[in-house]
Amino acid sequence: MGIIVQKFGGSSVADAAGVKRVAQRIVNTKKQGHNVVVVVSAMGDTTDELIDLANEVSPLPPARELDMLLTAGERISMAVLSMAINDLGHDARSFTGSQAGVITDAEHGRAKIIDVSPGRIEAAISEGAIAIVAGFQGVSQTTKDITTLGRGGSDTTAVALAVALKADVCEIYSDVDGIFTADPRIEPRARKIPRISYEETLEMAAQGAKILHLRCVEYARRYNMPIHVRSSFSEKEGTWVVNAEDVAQESTDKENTVEEAIITGVAHDRSQAKITVVGVPDKVGEAAAIFRALADAAINLDMIVQNVSAATTGLTDISFTLPRTQGQVAMGALAKLQGEVGYDKVLYDDGVGKVSIVGAGMSSAPGISARFFESLSAAGVNIEMISTSEIRVSVVVAEPQVEAAVNAAHAAFGLGSDEVEAVVYGGTGR
Ligand code: ASP
Ligand code: MG
């Protein structure tokens, strides 16, 4: 009998009614003759509420204690979900990440899974039980302390367990019917993507599309574990995340395939800020000094642009983007550098957003950037920064123009459907 891992996100188990609905769904899968292992996130906005609570108690909670607190969210949902399944007459047993054998490194708040030894899960399913595992958490191999995997980490727990258990598929349930060509919350004509490669999914997720935890996709790609992203609120087939050959295979299978889509989707990100270092002397070692200071402050950089220096002044500007949450720290690190580098000033702008088009087809198609930029221009959107990869073009724009930019790009690449397909069933978007 095959194993299916099913992961349910916070919005699917937001309240008692949701928990019961999900319990029924799990039991239905079990009745179809599968072994079922479930990974569950904290109910609704519990994790955010726990973080708020910690911040009320302490301005800087110790990372170890914060992790201990946050893992409580998933313990609540795993226990109540197990109760609901038992009520339906099926044996279900809940396990913390540590009991499920999720072993991580010791990096609190963003621990990496280094091994999964799911002995207790295997024992439970061999006795015919449904195993419920708390997502987003593990235990450090070295310190034996409880760790968390970073926000949204339950997806990664699910894929890691699926790999360790040699499951047939990892199903990720959320409040939308799959992965869409753009966020249905701002693009009403977004279409569901039936199949998408790991690589494109990684780019979409890295560019802010709130579809899957980045690490979960990396993990799935490494072990070639198919992910089926779907809604717990409907029975519809969702999106399959598989390797690129399988995506290509499907399009050759389709007779008279319509011209293959060059762009797979449009992603946007409102979590970034832009810093510009103005008047940097154009000489050897200046950029190195700036980015060394930022690296030492553990700043996660994204786009970097350095202008050609003005011939008259010999000075140049360097701009980069980073997560807004790191803005303060980065500004502090740069301030200490002013004497050494001798720049003019540093500008901070958190009123920016990033819009990206992603598609494996673009590597062999000319004119993609032109079409993208023309659509932005027609929509009156000004581009502040540009960056590209082999399968992506990203722009930074003013935050209030993000929505218009997404809509323009989506239409320019013919991604829109004629009917409204996307339903957002739940979630507060927090
Ligand atoms: N509950 C955690 C969070 O909200 C983990 C997850 O949802 O995957 O980030
Ligand atoms: Mg959550």
Side-chain angles (χ1 to χ4, degrees):
M1 213 174 8
I3 298 176
I4 294 186
V5 172
Q6 301 188 317
K7 179 259 171 177
F8 294 92
S11 57
S12 296
V13 291
D15 51 18
V19 170
K20 288 188 190 173
R21 190 175 44 79
V22 163
Q24 186 61 59
R25 180 130 199 173
I26 294 166
V27 165
N28 293 348
T29 311
K30 175 79 180 161
K31 282 197 193 139
Q32 285 160 13
H34 304 282
N35 281 315
V36 189
V37 175
V38 175
V39 173
V40 71
S41 296
M43 296 172 71
D45 292 331
T46 302
T47 308
D48 292 291
E49 287 155 14
L50 291 172
I51 292 172
D52 292 346
L53 172 64
N55 290 332
E56 276 171 45
V57 171
S58 156
L60 209 64
R64 178 191 187 277
E65 305 311 326
L66 189 60
D67 271 1
M68 191 58 107
L69 176 69
L70 295 191
T71 55
E74 271 70 14
R75 288 178 77 128
I76 295 172
S77 33
M78 72 176 189
V80 293
L81 183 55
S82 179
M83 289 173 197
I85 296 173
N86 278 286
D87 260 354
L88 295 173
H90 286 259
D91 185 6
R93 299 175 206 168
S94 64
F95 299 91
T96 64
S98 151
Q99 287 176 314
V102 179
I103 314 291
T104 70
D105 62 19
E107 286 287 320
H108 285 292
R110 46 162 189 211
K112 280 208 186 72
I113 296 179
I114 43 189
D115 194 18
V116 183
S117 15
R120 296 196 63 186
I121 307 302
E122 282 160 344
I125 53 181
S126 73
E127 288 162 24
I130 295 166
I132 319 278
V133 178
F136 169 66
Q137 53 179 276
V139 60
S140 154
Q141 194 170 42
T142 46
T143 63
K144 310 290 179 222
D145 284 329
I146 298 298
T147 54
T148 64
L149 310 179
R151 298 306 306 272
S154 298
D155 293 348
T156 303
T157 306
V159 169
L161 261 177
V163 168
L165 293 166
K166 301 193 170 54
D168 298 331
V169 55
C170 181
E171 296 185 332
I172 305 238
Y173 288 86
S174 74
D175 50 11
V176 285
D177 285 315
I179 300 178
F180 283 78
T181 49
D183 184 344
R185 288 180 172 89
I186 70 167
E187 176 48 71
R189 282 155 55 89
R191 255 184 317 111
K192 186 168 68 194
I193 304 169
R195 263 166 194 260
I196 183 172
S197 65
Y198 296 121
E199 289 74 17
E200 288 167 308
T201 310
L202 276 174
E203 286 276 11
M204 296 273 286
Q207 300 313 315
K210 296 195 180 67
I211 41 180
L212 289 170
H213 198 226
L214 208 53
R215 284 237 192 96
C216 128
V217 188
E218 284 166 359
Y219 213 103
R221 175 172 64 169
R222 181 153 10 115
Y223 296 99
N224 205 13
M225 171 59 62
I227 303 178
H228 186 185
V229 183
R230 55 196 307 196
S231 168
S232 70
F233 295 82
S234 83
E235 294 292 332
K236 289 184 198 153
E237 179 89 358
T239 299
W240 285 84
V241 184
V242 292
N243 61 49
E245 293 81 65
D246 288 347
V247 178
Q249 187 56 44
E250 197 214 32
S251 25
T252 11
D253 287 353
K254 269 197 218 142
E255 255 179 289
N256 318 319
T257 325
V258 233
E259 185 207 352
E260 230 201 282
I262 296 168
I263 298 304
T264 305
V266 183
H268 74 279
D269 185 353
R270 298 181 198 268
S271 67
Q272 302 246 310
K274 182 178 82 173
I275 290 180
T276 306
V277 189
V278 181
V280 180
D282 190 6
K283 57 177 208 249
V284 173
E286 298 294 68
I290 289 173
F291 289 102
R292 166 49 57 201
L294 294 167
D296 290 346
I299 304 297
N300 256 320
L301 298 173
D302 182 23
M303 287 188 203
I304 301 174
V305 173
Q306 175 178 329
N307 291 327
V308 180
S309 64
T312 45
T313 61
L315 297 176
T316 182
D317 297 345
I318 299 181
S319 298
F320 57 89
T321 60
L322 73 172
R324 251 174 236 178
T325 49
Q326 297 191 314
Q328 292 271 354
V329 179
M331 290 298 279
L334 290 172
K336 283 193 216 132
L337 220 61
Q338 183 154 23
E340 183 188 330
V341 173
Y343 61 76
D344 257 3
K345 57 182 174 194
V346 185
L347 304 175
Y348 181 69
D349 181 2
D350 60 8
V352 295
K354 189 170 55 168
V355 175
S356 309
I357 55 173
V358 173
M362 75 167 72
S363 51
S364 53
I368 301 303
S369 299
R371 208 198 295 185
F372 182 25
F373 300 159
E374 277 161 8
S375 76
L376 296 177
S377 139
V381 176
N382 185 42
I383 301 171
E384 297 183 16
M385 289 167 92
I386 299 169
S387 84
T388 62
S389 83
E390 208 158 298
I391 61 169
R392 168 183 63 83
V393 181
S394 302
V395 295
V396 169
V397 302
E399 214 257 2
Q401 295 196 305
V402 165
E403 193 161 334
V406 169
N407 300 150
H410 198 261
F413 290 97
L415 294 175
S417 69
D418 298 333
E419 302 139 43
V420 175
E421 256 187 51
V423 190
V424 178
Y425 298 96
T428 60
R430 198 170 160 179

